[in-house]
Amino acid sequence: MAITQWITSLRIVLLERSFEKDNNGLEVEIKAKSIYQPRKNLGHYKAPAGDANVQYQQLKQKAMELLTDIIAAGGTREDSRMLIETVRTPAVTYTVGQSYIGDTRLDEINKVTMGRMIAASGYDRNMAQKIAQALIELGGAGFVPLKVNAYYSYIMNFLKHWNTPDEEIGKVLRIVYAWAMETTGVLFLILNSPKIHIRSEEHTV
C-alpha cells in the first residue's frame, strides 16, 4: 500500500513503497517515477511538477538547430520557408500544448529564432512584429508565435478531453472544473460566460 504526504502545498512525496501481487500471489514492487524528474517521453522531455527548465532548454535547442540546418541547406527563400513550415514548426510546436513552459520562455525562444526565420524566408528581419506574426491572408508574413500555438493546443486538448466524459481524463477534468467554480465562489457556469473576468491563480494540474 502506498502512503503519500504533502511536504508543501505544491509538493507530495511517497513515504512507503507500493506493491502489487502477480499471478502467483507474490508481491511485486511498483517503482513510481518522480514527477519532479524530467524524462524523455515520445521524443520530448516532461517534468509535470518541476520548473520545466530542462524541457525549455531542449525545446530552445531543437528550435535553433533545425533552423540552422535549414539555412545551411542553401535553398531558395521559397525552399527555406517550405522547410520551416513543414519541418521546423511542427517539430517545435508539437509539444508546447502539453508543456508547462510559460509565456516568457516561449517568447525567449521566438526572440532568438524569429529574426533568422524571417530573413531566411526572404523578408526584412527588422520588419514590425505585428506584421511578421499576422496571418498571410491579412497581409502579414504568417510567423505565428509559439505562445499562440500553445494557446491553440490548450483549447484543442481541453475540448478533446471534455468530449470524453466516460474516460478517466474526462471525469478528472469535470472535477477540476467544479473545483474551480467552487473556489472562485461563482454561481454560474464559467464556460457559459467566458466574457466575465474571474480572479484566478496560475497552477499546473
Side-chain angles (χ1 to χ4, degrees):
M1 181 72 179
I3 300 178
T4 57
Q5 175 179 321
W6 290 97
I7 302 302
T8 69
S9 61
L10 297 176
R11 185 176 178 86
I12 190 172
V13 296
L14 191 66
L15 296 182
E16 292 188 5
R17 295 179 178 178
S18 178
F19 292 88
E20 294 291 343
K21 292 185 177 180
D22 62 15
N23 294 334
N24 298 320
L26 300 175
E27 288 188 338
V28 179
E29 182 180 355
I30 305 300
K31 296 181 179 180
K33 294 182 178 179
S34 171
I35 58 176
Y36 300 94
Q37 179 63 43
R39 60 184 181 273
K40 198 170 186 178
N41 183 25
L42 298 178
H44 61 280
Y45 285 83
K46 282 189 175 181
D51 59 8
N53 186 56
V54 172
Q55 189 176 5
Y56 159 66
Q57 295 295 343
Q58 291 291 331
L59 186 64
K60 183 178 179 180
Q61 181 179 350
K62 177 185 289 186
M64 296 175 65
E65 287 181 350
L66 286 175
L67 181 57
T68 298
D69 291 342
I70 290 173
I71 294 174
T76 64
R77 62 185 183 182
E78 290 82 7
D79 293 335
S80 296
R81 183 60 186 269
M82 181 269 293
L83 290 172
I84 289 172
E85 295 296 329
T86 59
V87 178
R88 188 256 182 200
T89 298
V92 174
T93 60
Y94 169 72
T95 63
V96 293
Q98 303 174 50
S99 72
Y100 304 91
I101 303 175
D103 288 357
T104 301
R105 285 177 166 177
L106 293 177
D107 286 340
E108 177 62 25
I109 295 175
N110 266 343
K111 183 178 179 180
V112 298
T113 59
M114 185 66 76
R116 297 176 67 202
M117 281 198 300
I118 292 173
S121 301
Y123 296 98
D124 180 1
R125 68 167 63 233
N126 296 316
M127 69 161 49
Q129 289 296 305
K130 290 185 178 180
I131 297 177
Q133 298 172 3
L135 296 175
I136 295 176
E137 293 81 357
L138 299 178
F143 293 99
V144 180
L146 264 181
K147 64 182 179 184
V148 174
N149 283 291
Y151 297 155
Y152 171 79
S153 297
Y154 298 155
I155 295 172
M156 296 305 294
N157 281 335
F158 176 86
L159 293 176
K160 177 179 70 175
H161 297 314
W162 188 261
N163 288 322
T164 56
D166 297 328
E167 301 293 335
E168 290 301 318
I169 183 62
K171 295 175 183 178
V172 171
L173 190 58
R174 281 163 171 75
I175 292 172
V176 173
Y177 177 54
W179 175 84
M181 291 182 58
E182 175 73 18
T183 55
T184 53
V186 299
L187 299 177
F188 57 87
L189 297 176
I190 297 176
L191 295 181
N192 287 356
S193 306
K195 292 184 179 180
I196 298 178
H197 178 72
I198 300 175
R199 181 189 63 81
S200 62
E201 295 181 3
E202 183 176 346
H203 294 285
T204 57
V205 178

